[in-house]
């Protein structure tokens, strides 16, 4: 395989995904930084304005695929994603209406197949103008429809890119169960529909993925175990899809900690990936900060 074909095959394998922070490939990745959400992800907060800073470091020293092309794979990604959330007091179908937007900034350093690349800059912006949140006693539900825009820095001849160069449409469903004794179970389920990358004529398949956590709250402190599960559900197509569709999968687990002071919430997480196919396998560290105004 030529170096040009190799670059097209894995040009996005080191792209920061839309909300910024997880690795992705055109053949086995996703627009969303898996593991970004955890505590209270299905709980829409009271009306107001909120700002979230997601800060992630990801490192991987292997790419789980039988081809010898991936034997010397390595990647390091550092990303900060700023998220603005506005929750209104407008009621629709008994739910509060909200909207949000993500702005990712990332630095990517990677090597594979005798090539290496380094890049930094703005990633792909995500917007969602129509989020709905319900509260039913101990149960809380949020729905939305995220749109990932190809705004990030992208070079089709580089293996390291903060942007992905195609749009993604993602229906979102999230829930949080939190009882009076402080036990919480939360999950956020997403399904990605990707458009074609016009620079590489590569059509990524559809993807199902979920973030989750099980935790115990002790006043302002919460301790839990969480992670994510990811599975590409349809094959890729187009030039470069030479590995039988290149469908990927991954699972990650690790400890999680949250402290909520009221106006400020801090979340720290560690996740280790396993059961990985056709994707990088590595470890993630998160430090997320939420401020209410």
């Amino acid at each position: 395989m030529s170096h040009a074909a190799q670059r097209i095959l894995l040009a996005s394998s080191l792209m920061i995904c839309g909300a910024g922070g997880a690795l992705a490939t055109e053949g086995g990745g996703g627009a969303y930084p898996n593991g970004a959400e955890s505590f209270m992800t299905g709980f829409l907060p009271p009306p107001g304005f909120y700002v979230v800073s997601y800060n992630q470091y990801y490192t991987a020293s292997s790419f789980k695929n039988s081809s010898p092309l991936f034997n010397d794979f390595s990647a390091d990604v550092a990303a900060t994603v700023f998220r603005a959330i506005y929750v209104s007091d407008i009621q629709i179908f008994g739910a509060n209406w909200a909207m949000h937007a993500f702005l990712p900034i990332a630095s990517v350093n990677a090597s594979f197949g005798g090539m290496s690349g380094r890049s930094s800059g703005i990633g792909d912006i995500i917007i969602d103008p129509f989020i709905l949140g319900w509260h039913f006693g101990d149960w809380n539900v949020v729905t939305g429809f995220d749109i990932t825009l190809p705004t990030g820095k992208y070079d089709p001849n580089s293996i390291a890119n903060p942007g992905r160069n195609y749009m993604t449409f993602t229906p979102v469903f999230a829930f949080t169960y939190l009882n009076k004794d402080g036990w919480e179970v939360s999950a956020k389920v997403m399904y990605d529909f990707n458009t074609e990358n016009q620079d590489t004529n590569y059509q990524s398949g559809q993807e199902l993925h979920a973030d989750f956590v099980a935790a115990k709250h002790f006043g302002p402190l919460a301790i839990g175990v969480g992670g994510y599960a990811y599975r590409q559900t349809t094959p890729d197509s187009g030039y470069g899809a030479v590995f039988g569709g290149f469908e990927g999968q991954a699972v990650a687990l690790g400890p999680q900690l949250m402290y909520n002071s009221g106006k400020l919430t801090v979340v720290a997480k560690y996740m280790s990936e396993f059961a990985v196919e056709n994707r990088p396998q590595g470890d993630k560290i998160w430090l997320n900060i939420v401020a209410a105004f």
Side-chain angles (χ1 to χ4, degrees):
M1 181 183 293
S2 69
H3 274 207
Q6 291 179 28
R7 283 194 292 267
I8 290 175
L9 173 66
L10 276 187
S12 302
S13 77
L14 313 168
M15 294 190 305
I16 296 300
C17 306
L23 288 181
T25 71
E26 285 195 311
Y32 178 76
N34 292 310
E37 301 291 356
S38 52
F39 298 99
M40 307 298 289
T41 189
F43 184 92
L44 191 69
F49 183 71
Y50 303 84
V51 175
V52 186
S53 172
Y54 300 89
N55 303 280
Q56 182 205 258
Y57 175 71
Y58 179 87
T59 181
S61 59
S62 64
F63 194 105
K64 295 301 180 180
N65 184 281
S66 59
S67 170
L69 285 173
F70 304 100
N71 286 347
D72 62 348
F73 178 92
S74 67
D76 293 284
V77 180
T80 293
V81 185
F82 298 101
R83 179 188 183 194
I85 309 167
Y86 172 70
V87 182
S88 77
D89 56 6
I90 298 173
Q91 294 277 315
I92 301 175
F93 305 123
N96 278 89
W97 166 63
M99 61 179 68
H100 69 192
F102 296 83
L103 174 64
I105 302 172
S107 175
V108 186
N109 183 21
S111 64
F112 115 92
M115 298 179 293
S116 62
R118 181 189 296 270
S119 184
S120 60
I122 294 175
D124 294 338
I125 292 172
I126 290 179
I127 61 172
D128 189 338
F130 196 72
I131 300 169
L132 295 177
W134 291 265
H135 304 287
F136 308 104
D138 293 341
W139 290 91
N140 307 271
V141 174
V142 172
T143 62
F145 191 86
D146 287 351
I147 302 171
T148 303
L149 305 173
T151 58
K153 182 180 178 182
Y154 177 80
D155 179 358
N157 295 315
S158 174
I159 66 168
N161 282 299
R164 304 174 70 235
N165 202 44
Y166 56 89
M167 295 181 69
T168 300
F169 301 94
T170 306
V172 178
F173 173 82
F175 75 88
T176 290
Y177 170 78
L178 177 63
N179 66 23
K180 62 182 181 180
D181 296 320
W183 290 102
E184 176 192 350
V185 176
S186 289
K188 179 182 180 182
V189 182
M190 296 147 281
Y191 195 87
D192 296 344
F193 297 90
N194 300 305
T195 62
E196 182 180 289
N197 185 335
Q198 297 295 319
D199 284 354
T200 60
N201 296 317
Y202 197 113
Q203 173 68 60
S204 293
Q206 299 171 17
E207 299 152 294
L208 174 66
H209 46 110
D211 294 349
F212 55 85
V213 68
K216 180 67 167 69
H217 290 246
F218 305 91
L221 181 68
I223 301 173
V225 175
Y228 60 84
Y230 167 93
R231 177 66 182 177
Q232 185 173 335
T233 59
T234 66
D236 300 337
S237 61
Y239 183 62
V242 297
F243 287 96
F246 215 61
E247 294 96 330
Q249 70 173 42
V251 180
L253 284 175
Q256 307 196 3
L257 179 69
M258 178 181 75
Y259 181 79
N260 183 359
S261 67
K263 289 291 186 180
L264 192 68
T265 301
V266 179
V267 176
K269 302 183 285 188
Y270 168 78
M271 300 174 188
S272 184
E273 295 177 317
F274 61 96
V276 177
E277 295 180 8
N278 294 324
R279 287 172 60 90
Q281 178 173 313
D283 300 301
K284 298 182 181 183
I285 299 173
W286 291 91
L287 181 65
N288 301 342
I289 302 171
V290 184
F293 296 92

